[in-house]
């Protein structure tokens, strides 16, 4: 996988937050994903997904997060927690996979709350 970051990986935390807000308004990464899929997707067998706050993941088709499922076949139930679970997000394929129970989370704290409710309640 290659990770593309329009603002640059060495941005400060303040720049990360500023870009994230700008991107939510102006759809920079969404536009880049569409253009890269048009230009490189079919011809090179690549998939592009929005990841995290500031980046785009680029990987061969079929090598999304569902790739790991072939290695965890002994588990009767698989849960996935992710924040980019919408179509185009880098969690979407595994979140919506028929063999996985997907959960959308908003933050690490939200993940703890959801895991606690699902698995640690009395």
């Amino acid at each position: 996988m290659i990770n593309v970051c329009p603002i640059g990986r060495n941005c400060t935390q303040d720049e990360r937050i500023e870009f994230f807000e700008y991107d939510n308004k102006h759809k920079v990464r969404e536009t880049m994903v569409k253009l890269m899929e048009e230009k490189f997707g079919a011809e090179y067998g690549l998939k592009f997904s929005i990841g995290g706050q500031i980046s785009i993941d680029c990987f061969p088709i079929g090598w999304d997060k569902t790739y790991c499922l072939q290695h965890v076949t002994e588990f009767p139930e698989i849960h996935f927690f992710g924040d980019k679970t919408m179509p185009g997000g880098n969690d979407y394929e595994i979140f919506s996979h028929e063999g996985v129970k997907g959960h959308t989370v908003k933050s690490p704290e939200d993940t703890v709350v959801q895991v606690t409710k699902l698995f640690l309640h009395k």
Side-chain angles (χ1 to χ4, degrees), residues 2 7 15 25 27 29 31-32 34 47 52 56 62-63 67 71-73 101 103-104 109 112-114 121-122:
I2 296 171
I7 190 171
E15 290 168 333
K25 184 176 180 182
K27 308 296 184 199
R29 292 182 297 158
T31 302
M32 287 180 69
K34 287 178 187 172
K47 176 80 177 142
I56 298 166
W63 283 39
Y67 185 83
H71 301 289
V72 292
T73 57
K101 293 184 179 187
H103 308 272
T104 301
E109 296 79 19
V112 170
V113 167
Q114 289 193 41
H121 65 285
K122 292 184 180 186

Side-chain angles (χ1 to χ4, degrees), residues 35-84:
L35 291 171
M36 288 189 294
E37 286 203 337
E38 289 172 11
K39 182 111 175 133
F40 305 111
E43 184 175 351
Y44 295 100
L46 296 174
K47 176 80 177 142
F48 302 88
S49 297
I50 294 171
Q53 287 184 307
I54 61 172
S55 64
I56 298 166
D57 295 337
C58 309
F59 48 87
I61 292 172
W63 283 39
D64 55 48
K65 291 181 181 182
T66 62
Y67 185 83
C68 69
L69 296 175
Q70 65 188 309
H71 301 289
V72 292
T73 57
E74 69 275 13
F75 296 101
E77 190 171 87
I78 297 171
H79 289 259
F80 176 82
F81 297 82
D83 64 335
K84 300 292 185 212

